[in-house]
Amino acid sequence: MSTDEQQQQLQPPPASRRRGGLAATRGGHQESERSFFCRVCQRAERGVWVPAGWYLLERAPGGKGRHIRLGLYCSVACLVRAGEMLGEGAAEHAARLDLPTEADRRRERERVIEVAQTLLSGGLSIRQAAESLHVATFTLKAWLKEAGIQIVPASISHTATPTPASGAPVLAPGEHHPVSVLNEWTQQGRIDGIDWHLQATGPSHAPAFTATATTHPAGSKEPISAQGSGASKTAARAAAAAALLAQLTSS
């Protein structure tokens, strides 16, 4: 082996050829040059490997399917513009086929969350609310969590104390809205009602709400209060109710 060949082996490979880089997406031992084309600014370069500093955009279809290559982009600005172009294309496709837009889906999701909170505060479990709204239970849980709505687990919401009339448990095992649990506890006499105080802050187009829930536990003269915040009055009440339940169960 010549001295030049030994020096070439000792030199580190360029960034575009290192393991895990964009070049790693090309299998085998590519020796011939090819063109690399930025789909936004039309910039083109030639080489054996993807130029260092370029970005490869792929989409994972899920499962064991191979990633779908969407294009190469020579800079962050071109990559961001590509995302904007994809969004614009999706909107045009939805309009052409009369499909719901992203704004329509967001409004429908907000409507489902608001109706779900009403159903949950009325005593339904999260599974029952999801079935009523024709939404998967895990999907409704994720939406409520992203909206800041806390759901009380079965260990807190369930009680084996029978009602005087039926002798059945007050709440079935499952996950329940914290406001619903507090209402049930009031009916059982475990707490002496709930006093609510709501306060709105922030701009009118994006207000934030803070709720304060206060109650007297049975047999106690000292009140207990808890606060919660949310993007809506219902979300703030739910957060405050969950915080109050946490205090009541820990005391």
Side-chain angles (χ1 to χ4, degrees):
M1 182 181 294
S2 66
T3 304
D4 292 341
E5 290 177 343
Q6 292 178 353
Q7 290 178 351
Q8 289 178 359
Q9 289 185 352
L10 292 175
Q11 291 178 352
S16 59
R17 297 191 61 180
R18 292 171 190 164
R19 183 175 179 84
L22 292 177
T25 60
R26 302 198 61 201
H29 300 282
Q30 179 72 24
E31 297 296 340
S32 59
E33 286 191 349
R34 57 168 293 186
S35 295
F36 299 97
F37 181 73
C38 178
R39 302 181 68 176
V40 173
C41 70
Q42 318 303 316
R43 176 182 174 183
E45 290 190 19
R46 290 189 61 82
V48 176
W49 303 97
V50 175
W54 283 47
Y55 295 86
L56 172 63
L57 185 61
E58 293 183 337
R59 173 172 291 168
K64 296 183 179 180
R66 299 183 61 183
H67 288 194
I68 302 171
R69 180 175 294 187
L70 302 180
L72 281 167
Y73 304 96
C74 66
S75 65
V76 174
C78 288
L79 183 63
V80 172
R81 177 56 187 151
E84 296 172 349
M85 292 168 63
L86 286 174
E88 294 168 359
E92 292 178 3
H93 178 73
R96 185 166 57 252
L97 299 181
D98 196 23
L99 298 174
T101 64
E102 184 64 29
D104 293 334
R105 289 193 290 268
R106 183 172 60 254
R107 284 192 293 268
E108 175 62 16
R109 177 172 171 174
E110 292 173 353
R111 185 195 67 83
V112 169
I113 291 174
E114 288 295 329
V115 175
Q117 291 183 82
T118 302
L119 295 175
L120 292 169
S121 61
L124 293 186
S125 68
I126 191 169
R127 182 183 298 275
Q128 292 170 331
E131 292 176 352
S132 176
L133 293 168
H134 306 288
V135 178
T137 303
F138 70 88
T139 300
L140 183 58
K141 285 183 179 181
W143 289 358
L144 291 170
K145 183 178 180 180
E146 292 175 4
I149 308 301
Q150 301 185 48
I151 302 300
V152 178
S155 58
I156 296 178
S157 64
H158 178 60
T159 175
T161 304
T163 58
S166 62
V170 175
L171 290 176
E175 294 174 304
H176 296 269
H177 197 280
V179 176
S180 173
V181 177
L182 288 178
N183 291 337
E184 293 289 348
W185 284 18
T186 301
Q187 295 177 9
Q188 298 169 24
R190 300 173 67 174
I191 56 177
D192 186 19
I194 305 293
D195 292 326
W196 295 98
H197 176 71
L198 282 169
Q199 182 179 6
T201 58
S204 58
H205 65 277
F209 297 91
T210 300
T212 302
T214 305
T215 188
H216 282 81
S220 174
K221 296 182 179 180
E222 296 296 328
I224 295 180
S225 297
Q227 284 189 341
S229 300
S232 66
K233 295 179 181 179
T234 310
R237 285 166 60 94
L244 186 61
L245 281 171
Q247 291 191 43
L248 291 170
T249 54
S250 63
S251 59

